[in-house]
């Protein structure tokens, strides 16, 4: 997709659809939805990004880079759609997750995307490594209240009625 030749991805995506549907796992279906979203536009792209994040959040793998990259790609798409406020929420989650797992290149990509939305993002240093971001503190509170990962992930999404005008 990023090469400027999205038509080259159509065939492999169809093949992957067969494999993902045959496997039927949240991981396979989530990764397929994420890939499909990258080729889609408008409401279809948004539906697929949300499906990907929902499915990947059900996987019980600590520090899932697949899920974090789903948030990153969705946030990038939202920013390109000029929905900066919506993009920030997804990009904050992506940045936090990616920085926590040491995926520095992807965390930096999320930080640059956040900056492009007008948000200031602090770089993590050894001195601030143990400090929680507001997003991390919110997740920690929800987890302490006994909520599951899918329940927490659902709360991190913006409600459809609260969508921004893209400012």
């Amino acid at each position: 997709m990023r090469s400027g030749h999205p038509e080259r991805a159509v065939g492999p995506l169809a093949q992957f659809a067969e494999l993902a549907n045959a496997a039927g796992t949240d991981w396979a279906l989530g990764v397929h939805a994420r890939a499909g979203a990258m080729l889609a536009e408008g409401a279809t792209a948004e539906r697929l990004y949300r499906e990907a994040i929902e499915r990947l959040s059900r996987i019980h793998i600590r520090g899932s880079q697949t899920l974090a990259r789903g948030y990153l790609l969705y946030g990038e798409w939202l920013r390109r759609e000029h929905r900066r406020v919506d993009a920030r929420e997804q990009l904050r989650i992506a940045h936090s997750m990616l920085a926590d797992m040491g995926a520095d290149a992807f965390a930096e990509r999320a930080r640059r995307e956040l900056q492009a939305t007008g948000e200031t993002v602090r770089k993590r240093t050894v001195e601030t490594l143990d400090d929680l971001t507001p997003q991390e503190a919110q997740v920690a509170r929800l987890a302490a209240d006994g909520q599951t990962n899918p329940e927490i992930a659902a709360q991190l999404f913006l409600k459809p009625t609260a969508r921004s005008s893209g400012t």
Side-chain angles (χ1 to χ4, degrees), residues 84-126:
R84 294 183 322 182
V85 173
D86 293 339
R88 286 179 190 147
E89 184 71 18
Q90 305 306 314
L91 292 168
R92 282 184 204 121
I93 295 167
H95 180 264
S96 176
M97 291 177 75
L98 292 163
D100 286 351
M101 65 182 70
D104 296 335
F106 284 117
E108 177 61 20
R109 184 167 136 189
R111 189 183 71 75
R112 283 192 313 267
E113 287 287 326
L114 270 166
Q115 285 181 320
T117 69
E119 181 155 313
T120 303
V121 184
R122 68 181 168 94
K123 281 197 172 188
R124 293 207 173 174
T125 64
V126 173

Side-chain angles (χ1 to χ4, degrees), residues 153-165:
Q155 288 196 36
L156 296 177
F157 279 116
L158 296 176
K159 294 184 171 104
T161 57
R163 284 210 178 127
S164 74
S165 60

